[in-house]
Amino acid sequence: PLLAALLTVVVSWPKEVADAATVHEPRRHPVDVVRGVNLGGLFVLEPWITPSLFSEWELTPQSPVVDEWSYCTVLGKPECMRRLNAHWASWVQESDISTLASMHINTLRIPIGYWALAPDLSEPYVQGQIPYLRRILDWAAAYNLRVILDLHGVPGSQNGFDNSGQRGEISWAKRPSDIRQSLDSLAVLARIANEHRSVAAIQAVNEPANWGVPKGVITQYYLQAYQLVKSMAPRITLVFHDAFLPVSEWSELVPANMTGSYLDTHIYH
């Protein structure tokens, strides 16, 4: 199994989050600095992280299989379910979590798509991820790791990247139902968070593209996401991606009194 993408972070968890993460025994190391690993490729397929799942198409010119949507479309739901169940069961094991804890990692970020949480069953995606997610949350609790649940893909794609579930056009929020379905997904994550004390934060959406989604739409969604999650799971920290815009672009959120939230920046783009 592969654990992808070590996160470089300079933020600290609030004291109440740090306290909540200590489930079985006191930590032997400081808890304020986030030292995290992103469990990429588990519940959201990305060919560069999980090339073995895409290997049968690697020699196909202009391969039609480039993301999870096309993976399930080409295979069909029964075969896609069979393969992904095997993947979910094996990609991250308890021994991986133990190893990370032994290296003083204290936080896991777990990407997951809307199709696992509030699916449209007419789409090609398959479901069954949540029991495997809960298993990792239990392991995280056993090894005193905190977890960020990251809504990595939303309906229509927020960025056109394969890591949104569907590569190509950016169509998120063009239909009113897209926002509702995204918020419904966050509600499922909030309920899961209430049942697993290892969950410290929820990310409203990963990497919305400012060149494809108006900033005003993203801002309004962030305000709705904050209100929803805090109403359901008050202890949970909210994480908002900067949409590849300068930090100064988000000063308007400060008067909204969004305490217990962080702004996330990914400097690779």
Side-chain angles (χ1 to χ4, degrees):
L2 173 67
L3 299 178
L6 183 66
L7 297 178
T8 301
V9 289
V10 293
V11 298
S12 301
W13 288 118
K15 182 180 185 299
E16 61 271 19
V17 173
D19 291 345
T22 306
V23 178
H24 296 299
E25 62 181 57
R27 290 182 178 274
R28 298 184 180 88
H29 306 286
V31 297
D32 57 330
V33 176
V34 177
R35 298 182 178 88
V37 164
N38 190 64
L39 302 187
L42 176 57
F43 300 127
V44 179
L45 299 186
E46 299 184 47
W48 74 275
I49 300 178
T50 56
S52 61
L53 293 177
F54 294 82
S55 61
E56 65 190 86
W57 300 285
E58 65 183 355
L59 300 180
T60 303
Q62 297 181 325
S63 171
V65 183
V66 296
D67 50 31
E68 191 157 339
W69 176 286
S70 56
Y71 184 85
C72 290
T73 297
V74 168
L75 291 175
K77 286 194 176 185
E79 180 61 13
C80 186
M81 176 69 82
R82 186 189 70 80
R83 295 191 190 192
L84 288 187
N85 259 304
H87 173 65
W88 299 330
S90 61
W91 186 245
V92 175
Q93 296 295 307
E94 183 175 2
S95 59
D96 298 314
I97 306 304
S98 173
T99 297
L100 291 173
S102 73
M103 298 172 68
H104 311 323
I105 294 297
N106 63 23
T107 304
L108 304 176
R109 181 174 181 260
I110 304 180
I112 193 164
Y114 75 93
W115 56 89
L117 306 164
D120 176 347
L121 297 181
S122 69
E123 295 179 342
Y125 296 119
V126 297
Q127 290 72 50
Q129 299 90 334
I130 289 179
Y132 296 102
L133 172 63
R134 290 185 183 277
R135 183 174 71 164
I136 295 174
L137 297 179
D138 288 341
W139 289 338
Y143 292 94
N144 292 321
L145 274 68
R146 298 178 291 271
V147 175
I148 303 169
L149 297 178
D150 161 38
L151 186 58
H152 216 67
V154 288
S157 178
Q158 72 276 19
N159 52 33
F161 303 157
D162 57 10
N163 63 32
S164 71
Q166 191 172 14
R167 195 177 83 180
E169 185 180 353
I170 302 172
S171 297
W172 180 56
K174 290 184 178 179
R175 304 171 300 176
S177 61
D178 292 345
I179 296 297
R180 183 70 262 161
Q181 198 172 1
S182 302
L183 293 171
D184 288 346
S185 299
L186 292 180
V188 174
L189 292 180
R191 287 194 290 271
I192 291 172
N194 281 333
E195 297 168 9
H196 293 271
R197 294 292 292 178
S198 57
V199 179
I202 292 174
Q203 181 148 12
V205 62
N206 177 67
E207 297 183 345
N210 71 79
W211 56 90
V213 183
K215 183 194 169 194
V217 171
I218 299 171
T219 300
Q220 183 58 36
Y221 171 70
Y222 283 175
L223 292 169
Q224 291 177 278
Y226 182 87
Q227 292 166 1
L228 173 68
V229 173
K230 284 294 187 180
S231 70
M232 296 182 63
R235 71 175 179 85
I236 293 299
T237 296
L238 272 290
V239 179
F240 302 108
H241 186 264
D242 64 9
F244 303 108
L245 292 168
V247 171
S248 59
E249 290 277 343
W250 297 101
S251 58
E252 65 199 73
L253 292 181
V254 176
N257 194 30
M258 297 170 72
T259 56
S261 61
Y262 288 133
L263 188 66
D264 175 29
T265 187
H266 299 175
I267 60 174
Y268 74 92
H269 197 281

